[in-house]
């Protein structure tokens, strides 16, 4: 890999180059078919940006939730139509199913500009090789104790169901969006420990593929981190954080944040992170 590998955090929406075209983009965990899906923010992202390649890193559709009851508003349909429209206009779409849409794995193959794969390797403009997979493959609960995974999903959905009431009150006081479920995940010791162990396990797994980085979703925790010689990327979700990873034409990867429920009620996008050029020798 070229030693000039780079990724960036920082900047504001106004600093995003115009036109908003990216060499590649990664989204995951939209969970279409659930009330927690923030389809408004996802549609804003898809409308305001174009990509050479769009990676959908699992859990686009929440089949677990649809089995419990059908919920499919027009906006969720609009998301699917927007992705298909981008594919028709030349965007290469690579769909890597997760645990909530694992049935799609049965249809692996190429369908015009849309490919369905179990995993993929992306090479950035700067030569960085990135292994891409959803991440549930390394989640022992999902793989070995499926009933517990379903129970955990129900608990998570309950916390999400409280968010509208909490934010209704917050808007009355002119406060921004706040997620109870995201707060619990960030502060509960076991959850924080799980995220750290998950990230480290993903990096160890990626070493077998002889790549420079690994990129996943699954845990709804967007991040860009260094683990020794390998980088770890997580593109987050469209339930709480509303985040995506994008690659500019120069090979720089950035994390975009879209918040459709800010105090003004309008969508807001920003970038966060740091530059790999800040990496210290031996880090």
């Amino acid at each position: 890999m070229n030693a000039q590998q780079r990724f960036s955090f920082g900047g504001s929406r106004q600093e995003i180059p115009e036109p908003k075209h990216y060499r590649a983009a990664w989204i995951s965990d939209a969970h279409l078919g659930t009330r927690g899906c923030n389809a408004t923010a996802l549609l804003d992202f898809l409308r305001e940006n174009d990509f050479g390649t769009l990676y959908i890193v699992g859990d686009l559709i929440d089949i677990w939730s649809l089995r419990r009851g059908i919920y499919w508003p027009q906006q969720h349909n609009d998301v699917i139509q927007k992705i298909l429209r981008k594919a028709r206009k030349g965007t290469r779409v690579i769909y890597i199913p997760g645990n909530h849409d694992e049935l799609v794995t049965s249809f692996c193959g190429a369908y015009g500009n849309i490919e369905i794969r179990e995993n993929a390797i992306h090479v950035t403009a700067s030569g960085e090789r990135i292994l891409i997979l959803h991440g549930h493959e390394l989640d022992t609960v999902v793989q070995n104790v499926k009933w517990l995974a379903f129970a955990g999903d129900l608990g998570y959905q309950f916390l999400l169901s409280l968010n509208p009431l909490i934010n209704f009150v917050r808007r009355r006081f002119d406060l921004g969006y706040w997620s109870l479920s995201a707060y619990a995940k960030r502060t509960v010791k076991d959850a924080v420990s799980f995220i750290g162990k998950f990230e480290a396990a993903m990096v160890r797994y990626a070493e077998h593929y002889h790549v420079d980085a690994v990129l996943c979703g699954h845990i709804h925790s967007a991040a860009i981190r260094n683990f020794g010689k390998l980088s770890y990327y997580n593109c987050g979700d469209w339930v709480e954080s509303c985040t995506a990873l994008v690659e500019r034409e120069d090979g720089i990867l950035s994390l975009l944040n879209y918040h459709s429920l800010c105090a003004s009620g309008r969508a807001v996008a920003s970038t966060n992170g740091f530059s790999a050029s800040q990496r210290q020798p031996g880090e």
Side-chain angles (χ1 to χ4, degrees), residues 70-88:
I70 301 299
Y71 176 77
W72 195 264
Q74 182 59 44
Q75 277 196 323
H76 292 204
N77 202 55
D78 292 343
V79 169
I80 299 296
Q81 291 300 322
K82 188 64 178 175
I83 292 171
L84 293 175
R85 192 174 300 117
K86 283 186 177 294
R88 288 197 299 271

Side-chain angles (χ1 to χ4, degrees), residues 24-175:
W26 294 263
I27 59 173
S28 73
D29 297 270
H31 291 277
L32 296 172
T34 68
R35 298 182 186 277
C37 170
N38 198 328
T40 300
L42 181 51
L43 281 170
D44 285 341
F45 170 75
L46 293 172
R47 287 167 179 156
E48 294 175 9
N49 302 284
D50 285 319
F51 330 101
T53 303
L54 174 63
Y55 290 91
I56 301 171
V57 193
D59 289 357
L60 175 65
I61 299 172
D62 196 320
I63 296 174
W64 289 10
S65 180
L66 291 173
R67 283 171 175 165
R68 296 194 292 263
I70 301 299
Y71 176 77
W72 195 264
Q74 182 59 44
Q75 277 196 323
H76 292 204
N77 202 55
D78 292 343
V79 169
I80 299 296
Q81 291 300 322
K82 188 64 178 175
I83 292 171
L84 293 175
R85 192 174 300 117
K86 283 186 177 294
R88 288 197 299 271
K89 291 184 176 180
T91 297
R92 183 186 180 201
V93 177
I94 299 179
Y95 183 5
I96 299 170
N99 51 305
H100 285 258
D101 52 6
E102 60 187 342
L103 289 178
V104 181
T105 307
S106 304
F107 301 95
C108 283
Y111 306 89
N113 272 353
I114 300 175
E115 299 176 48
I116 301 174
R117 301 184 186 179
E118 292 187 7
N119 57 55
I121 292 180
H122 174 81
V123 181
T124 69
S126 59
E128 182 183 25
R129 286 168 47 84
I130 305 175
L131 172 66
I132 306 164
L133 67 166
H134 179 63
H136 66 292
E137 299 88 343
L138 274 70
D139 188 333
T140 55
V141 172
V142 170
Q143 295 300 320
N144 302 319
V145 197
K146 288 189 181 291
W147 70 266
L148 186 56
F150 283 115
D153 181 59
L154 286 172
Y156 179 65
Q157 292 297 330
F158 172 72
L159 289 179
L160 286 175
S161 70
L162 298 177
N163 285 343
L165 175 60
I166 292 170
N167 285 286
F168 171 78
V169 175
R170 289 178 62 85
R171 284 195 299 272
R172 303 285 289 185
F173 291 94
D174 216 17
L175 298 172

Side-chain angles (χ1 to χ4, degrees), residues 169-188:
V169 175
R170 289 178 62 85
R171 284 195 299 272
R172 303 285 289 185
F173 291 94
D174 216 17
L175 298 172
Y177 179 76
W178 183 81
S179 170
L180 172 63
S181 48
Y183 173 77
K185 184 168 59 182
R186 288 193 304 267
T187 56
V188 174

Side-chain angles (χ1 to χ4, degrees), residues 89 225 268:
K89 291 184 176 180
R225 307 192 198 286
V268 176

